[in-house]
Amino acid sequence: MSTEYSEVALKEKLHRLTNHPDSIQSLSSWIIQNSKYRESIIRVWSKDARKESNAARIVNLLYLANDVVQNCRKVCPELKDHFFPVLESVIKHSARNPPPEIERVLPKLVKVWREREVFSQSQLRRLDDALLQGKSSAAYPTPVSSVPDLSKNNPQKELLHEEVAKNCQEILISLQRLQAPPSTEREVRIQLATFPESISCPEMLQTIRDSSQAKEVLKHNEAALPLITDYCKRLGEEMLERRNLQQLLDNLMNNVRSCVEYHEKMLRDVKKKEDRLKSDLVEVEKAFNSLPDLNAEASFISRSLPALENLFDMGILEKIAEIEHEISRTQKNKATEYHLGLLKAKLAKYRQQLLEPSGKGGGKGEGFDVMKSGDARVAMVGFPSVGKSTLLSSMTNTHSEAAGYEFTTLTCIPGVINYEGANIQLLDLPGIIEGASQGKGRGRQVIAVAKTADLILMMLDAGKSDQQRALLEAELEAVGIRLNKRPPHIYVKQKKVGGVKFTHTVPLTHCNEKLIMTVLHEYKIFNADVVFREDCTVDEFIDVIQGNRVYLTCLYVYNKIDQISIEEVDRLARLPHHVVISCEMNLNMDYLLEKIWEYLALVRVYTKKPGNAPDLGAEDGIILRQGATVEHCCHALHRTLAAQFRYAIVWGTSTKFSPQRVGIQHLLHHEDVIQIVKK
Ligand SMILES: Nc1nc2c(ncn2[C@@H]2O[C@H](COP(=O)(O)OP(=O)(O)OP(=O)(O)O)[C@@H](O)[C@H]2O)c(=O)[nH]1
Ligand SMILES: [Mg+2]
């Protein structure tokens, strides 16, 4: 196969091509070798393929092309792209009324090209279309899509555009069908011309003189009949297609006309609007120009307006900020301690003012006035999105919306935990932000609810910095909540006369008489007895004078430990008052419950009737607070019982002996059994 390339040589080879793989492969490699003549090669191949009427030979030519496009990648990859358009058109051509051999081969080839990624996706789509189009246009004439009923009053733009596009598509298909119509088939016409005149001219029949002449004419007629029948049939089909094309063109014209009308109408509308706007603008300008010149008529307008702070007394926040700033920049030493004490007292006073309900805005806030119920109340306080609602939903039967964005919860949502026979109310609150103590967000309402709780669960995100805890603590501190502290042992009794009497029962290292006096004067207290029973700081003293501090136990609950390292979990878990959990992975939740119970320090006391054994079931007994006495127990049982009380007999750890007779002030312990004897 080392012949020099020439069109004649190629034609020769194509003529000798068989369906044997060797024949196809050797010609294919010869074509690839001569790929520099690709234009000529493709022209010859396509001409051959188009004019070929033998299905088996068309298949051979297609197989040859297949071999070329698959194997030309290394030597001349462009060859495949040059082959593509002719391949597409031959496929389109062959797919019309294909004999069974070609019908089998075409989809197979396209499938192989798709699997081996011979052609790009878009090229493959075009080949798919070519296959489909061939099929759809197999039946003359091309089906005409119906003309949509587009009434002129309500033309729909999208529908019109779609129709026009569809029309164009159909016209293209029809034109393709008419590309090589039977009426232009030269060979057939030449062949028809070679038939004797007698076959097309009935008058010639009259010239027949004998049977031999008649037989001659009949012979010619019989020879011409199949060709003429077939040609007439095809011409008829072509005529139908042409009529169809005419119909399609009419539809297109109508649709395009509707489109134009629609756009003209739109243009008229827009122009009308523009005119209206222009006239409005003129009116506005006229009105504007006729406005009086206020600068000229009222000279007072040019005077500067009063400052906002002079209009409203918004001083408290500013004063607080000012004092905080001053405290922070004052050095702590002997010389400044009185000044600092004074500043701290002032700060406490202003903060108090800020928290006092002020007319309209002082209400509790809608959604926050949840009834206190059960034996104890636990409030969850924390920054947004730390998992408070998730915890409520997992620990109680109440569902609280939880989501990955901040401020999902906007009101107070109560749930109940049943543990050790006690009903513990758990409150889910909105997340608070820095500045909550000054009313930012829903801070004030949240803090107001938190103050009513017996235990605070400070929810923190284990994945965030330790600073979050300090920030939250500062917010709660600022509103008078003291966490995990007990009230200072300071006695202050205001009097009417007699001046200030200051004593202390322990040596004081943080305060002295002068400092105490300064603070008292700031509060305008000039007559009082003050006794320090422990070595307290001036802040603690101010707390006592303010008298409205709330001392609450607090558990720092670090959630989302599934997101941090085990070392970090270990570090957090070891710190005092800390519990680490993961609500989502349900980690350590039982321990949290135990801790809540421990921190609430509830006392469960079983009652016993004389002569009967006590009921010690899970639901029996009464729940009291830590430090509850027999009197509290009486009140819990019946409101008249304390008045009728004579004595009680107690079994348990609160007494020296078991049982022991005790008075009404006796302190009860957890799991004591009590029998009350009435008068
Ligand atoms: N990885 C992890 N994600 C959690 C855990 N607990 C809660 N979350 C996710 O944290 C997101 C916030 O949870 P919420 O329960 O809505 O938080 P919230 O504190 O109630 O938030 P606010 O109502 O906006 O104050 C949600 O997408 C939870 O799925 C946990 O243990 N681990
Ligand atoms: Mg929430």
Side-chain angles (χ1 to χ4, degrees):
M1 272 273 177
S2 53
T3 336
E4 270 285 349
Y5 178 80
S6 70
E7 282 200 12
V8 179
L10 178 60
K11 274 181 193 161
E12 179 74 32
K13 287 176 193 295
L14 286 175
H15 186 68
R16 279 192 270 121
L17 184 70
T18 66
N19 65 352
H20 197 276
D22 287 345
S23 165
I24 292 169
Q25 275 167 20
S26 59
L27 182 51
S28 155
S29 40
W30 183 78
I31 288 176
I32 295 170
Q33 273 169 25
N34 292 294
S35 55
K36 59 182 172 188
Y37 306 107
R38 51 185 167 269
E39 263 147 32
S40 152
I41 293 172
I42 285 160
R43 195 171 51 247
V44 173
W45 181 90
S46 114
K47 217 170 171 183
D48 224 355
R50 274 172 182 281
K51 81 165 191 233
E52 187 56 68
S53 54
N54 183 331
R57 282 197 42 77
I58 295 179
V59 170
N60 290 349
L61 287 170
L62 284 168
Y63 278 156
L64 172 70
N66 170 50
D67 207 282
V68 172
V69 294
Q70 288 205 46
N71 296 313
C72 68
R73 286 191 205 195
K74 280 187 195 152
V75 182
C76 176
E78 316 87 83
L79 191 56
K80 129 177 111 82
D81 290 321
H82 277 79
F83 242 107
F84 177 77
V86 282
L87 216 42
E88 183 187 20
S89 106
V90 167
I91 287 180
K92 225 181 258 177
H93 182 78
S94 321
R96 272 183 228 147
N97 269 336
E101 307 92 290
I102 298 184
E103 194 170 28
R104 259 200 321 273
V105 166
L106 290 180
K108 245 200 249 171
L109 283 178
V110 175
K111 191 170 164 231
V112 169
W113 294 335
R114 173 162 285 119
E115 281 169 359
R116 302 194 182 164
E117 297 179 355
V118 175
F119 293 113
S120 70
Q121 284 305 319
S122 63
Q123 286 175 323
L124 288 167
R125 262 199 302 277
R126 278 171 61 182
L127 292 180
D128 287 339
D129 288 348
L131 279 178
L132 279 177
Q133 264 185 33
K135 270 191 193 140
S136 70
S137 61
Y140 260 143
T142 310
V144 182
S145 64
S146 58
V147 184
D149 178 23
L150 300 167
S151 77
K152 282 182 188 168
N153 299 337
N154 184 24
Q156 290 169 346
K157 194 176 72 176
E158 282 79 20
L159 199 56
L160 273 173
H161 284 175
E162 261 175 39
E163 276 309 314
V164 169
K166 207 168 151 198
N167 289 153
C168 293
Q169 189 74 23
E170 285 167 349
I171 287 170
L172 274 179
I173 293 174
S174 180
L175 285 174
Q176 275 171 359
R177 295 283 291 117
L178 290 168
Q179 226 173 17
S183 57
T184 58
E185 281 175 15
R186 206 164 148 262
E187 292 93 54
V188 181
R189 294 168 80 86
I190 291 170
Q191 215 174 337
L192 286 175
T194 57
F195 287 121
E197 206 181 338
S198 61
I199 67 159
S200 58
C201 187
E203 293 84 54
M204 292 283 285
L205 292 176
Q206 287 166 8
T207 60
I208 297 174
R209 293 284 167 252
D210 54 28
S211 68
S212 65
Q213 273 183 354
K215 273 182 189 161
E216 185 71 12
V217 170
L218 193 63
K219 205 176 107 197
H220 284 304
N221 283 5
E222 274 174 355
L225 190 63
L227 185 70
I228 293 174
T229 317
D230 177 60
Y231 193 52
C232 283
K233 188 178 155 230
R234 289 195 292 128
L235 281 175
E237 284 171 350
E238 184 192 329
M239 196 186 65
L240 272 179
E241 181 68 36
R242 286 187 189 279
R243 279 213 191 107
N244 177 54
L245 179 63
Q246 191 183 0
Q247 175 71 49
L248 287 172
L249 286 167
D250 285 347
N251 290 352
L252 178 68
M253 286 296 288
N254 286 339
N255 286 335
V256 169
R257 207 168 285 137
S258 306
C259 255
V260 171
E261 277 170 15
Y262 175 75
H263 285 116
E264 275 175 356
K265 189 173 169 289
M266 242 171 66
L267 192 68
R268 278 197 301 276
D269 287 351
V270 173
K271 273 205 170 134
K272 260 189 216 161
K273 279 183 189 159
E274 192 195 355
D275 291 345
R276 214 178 304 144
L277 275 176
K278 274 183 184 161
S279 69
D280 285 356
L281 198 67
V282 172
E283 289 292 311
V284 170
E285 269 174 4
K286 259 194 225 160
F288 185 76
N289 290 335
S290 63
L291 282 175
D293 184 357
L294 290 179
N295 282 339
E297 288 175 22
S299 58
F300 64 86
I301 285 184
S302 60
R303 262 184 260 145
S304 61
L305 290 168
L308 196 59
E309 50 269 42
N310 297 342
L311 283 176
F312 307 100
D313 183 18
M314 334 174 9
I316 297 180
L317 281 178
E318 278 166 15
K319 283 174 191 161
I320 288 177
E322 216 169 84
I323 296 172
E324 278 174 343
H325 179 64
E326 180 140 6
I327 291 176
S328 68
R329 72 191 167 107
T330 308
Q331 272 189 4
K332 286 187 186 72
N333 56 38
K334 272 267 169 252
T336 58
E337 68 179 6
Y338 305 111
H339 180 59
L340 274 175
L342 189 64
L343 287 175
K344 284 178 177 172
K346 277 189 173 159
L347 186 64
K349 261 172 61 185
Y350 286 134
R351 278 194 177 143
Q352 179 59 30
Q353 280 178 28
L354 200 65
L355 288 179
E356 274 162 7
S358 59
K360 289 181 228 157
K364 263 197 159 179
E366 224 173 284
F368 285 85
D369 45 356
V370 171
M371 270 268 289
K372 212 166 176 176
S373 74
D375 301 303
R377 174 177 262 201
V378 178
M380 284 187 278
V381 174
F383 284 117
S385 250
V386 289
K388 300 182 288 299
S389 304
T390 316
L391 182 68
L392 183 91
S393 301
S394 63
M395 276 191 135
T396 70
N397 289 330
T398 311
H399 172 74
S400 180
E401 199 58 39
Y405 50 85
E406 301 196 338
F407 298 110
T408 315
T409 313
L410 293 172
T411 56
C412 173
I413 311 218
V416 178
I417 306 173
N418 296 306
Y419 189 72
E420 294 271 346
N423 288 332
I424 301 165
Q425 188 182 42
L426 182 64
L427 300 182
D428 178 22
L429 289 162
I432 59 174
I433 45 175
E434 224 181 317
S437 55
Q438 294 172 359
K440 269 198 193 162
R442 301 212 155 182
R444 257 189 231 177
Q445 290 98 318
V446 172
I447 287 166
V449 176
K451 270 186 174 174
T452 66
D454 302 298
L455 170 67
I456 300 233
L457 288 191
M458 190 180 283
M459 289 287 289
L460 299 154
D461 190 332
K464 295 200 175 141
S465 76
D466 283 348
Q467 218 197 346
Q468 46 172 344
R469 178 182 152 176
L471 282 172
L472 270 181
E473 278 178 335
E475 294 297 334
L476 298 185
E477 277 274 317
V479 292
I481 296 179
R482 301 288 174 262
L483 299 175
N484 296 329
K485 282 184 190 156
R486 49 171 186 73
H489 279 198
I490 301 173
Y491 171 79
V492 178
K493 167 103 180 142
Q494 289 199 47
K495 296 186 297 184
K496 292 233 166 82
V497 287
V500 173
K501 263 191 220 153
F502 172 70
T503 49
H504 50 94
T505 57
V506 286
L508 299 182
T509 56
H510 307 292
C511 293
N512 59 30
E513 193 165 355
K514 195 179 162 198
L515 183 57
I516 300 300
M517 292 299 174
T518 317
V519 173
L520 285 174
H521 282 177
E522 179 56 35
Y523 280 90
K524 304 210 168 30
I525 299 171
F526 303 105
N527 304 295
D529 287 340
V530 177
V531 184
F532 270 55
R533 295 205 175 100
E534 65 180 334
D535 185 13
C536 294
T537 61
V538 68
D539 297 293
E540 286 169 325
F541 178 56
I542 292 169
D543 280 352
V544 174
I545 294 181
Q546 282 281 355
N548 58 357
R549 302 306 190 219
V550 185
Y551 294 87
L552 296 173
T553 39
C554 172
L555 258 178
Y556 300 96
V557 183
Y558 280 84
N559 187 28
K560 307 194 188 180
I561 53 163
D562 49 302
Q563 293 183 332
I564 57 167
S565 66
I566 190 77
E567 291 79 17
E568 187 62 9
V569 174
D570 191 50
R571 183 186 74 81
L572 289 173
R574 284 173 194 280
L575 295 170
H577 310 298
H578 276 211
V579 179
V580 291
I581 58 161
S582 167
C583 299
E584 220 158 65
M585 312 278 287
N586 210 11
L587 299 176
N588 218 19
M589 302 295 273
D590 294 343
Y591 180 69
L592 173 64
L593 209 50
E594 277 172 30
K595 274 281 169 194
I596 290 177
W597 177 257
E598 184 192 322
Y599 272 59
L600 281 172
L602 295 178
V603 175
R604 187 158 168 203
V605 177
Y606 300 99
T607 53
K608 169 187 173 320
K609 285 184 184 148
N612 290 357
D615 293 326
L616 300 173
E619 296 296 319
D620 294 315
I622 44 175
I623 305 285
L624 301 168
R625 299 292 164 93
Q626 198 183 35
T629 61
V630 174
E631 192 177 359
H632 290 114
C633 181
C634 289
H635 286 305
L637 287 169
H638 196 271
R639 72 193 150 83
T640 58
L641 198 55
Q644 299 168 350
F645 180 85
R646 209 165 131 219
Y647 64 88
I649 303 169
V650 172
W651 290 257
T653 55
S654 68
T655 54
K656 215 168 184 182
F657 310 104
S658 218
Q660 189 177 323
R661 200 172 141 155
V662 296
I664 202 159
Q665 290 306 325
H666 176 75
L667 261 176
L668 291 168
H669 280 188
H670 186 47
E671 305 215 305
D672 273 356
V673 175
I674 184 168
Q675 178 185 321
I676 292 164
V677 180
K678 292 199 273 187
K679 276 180 200 159

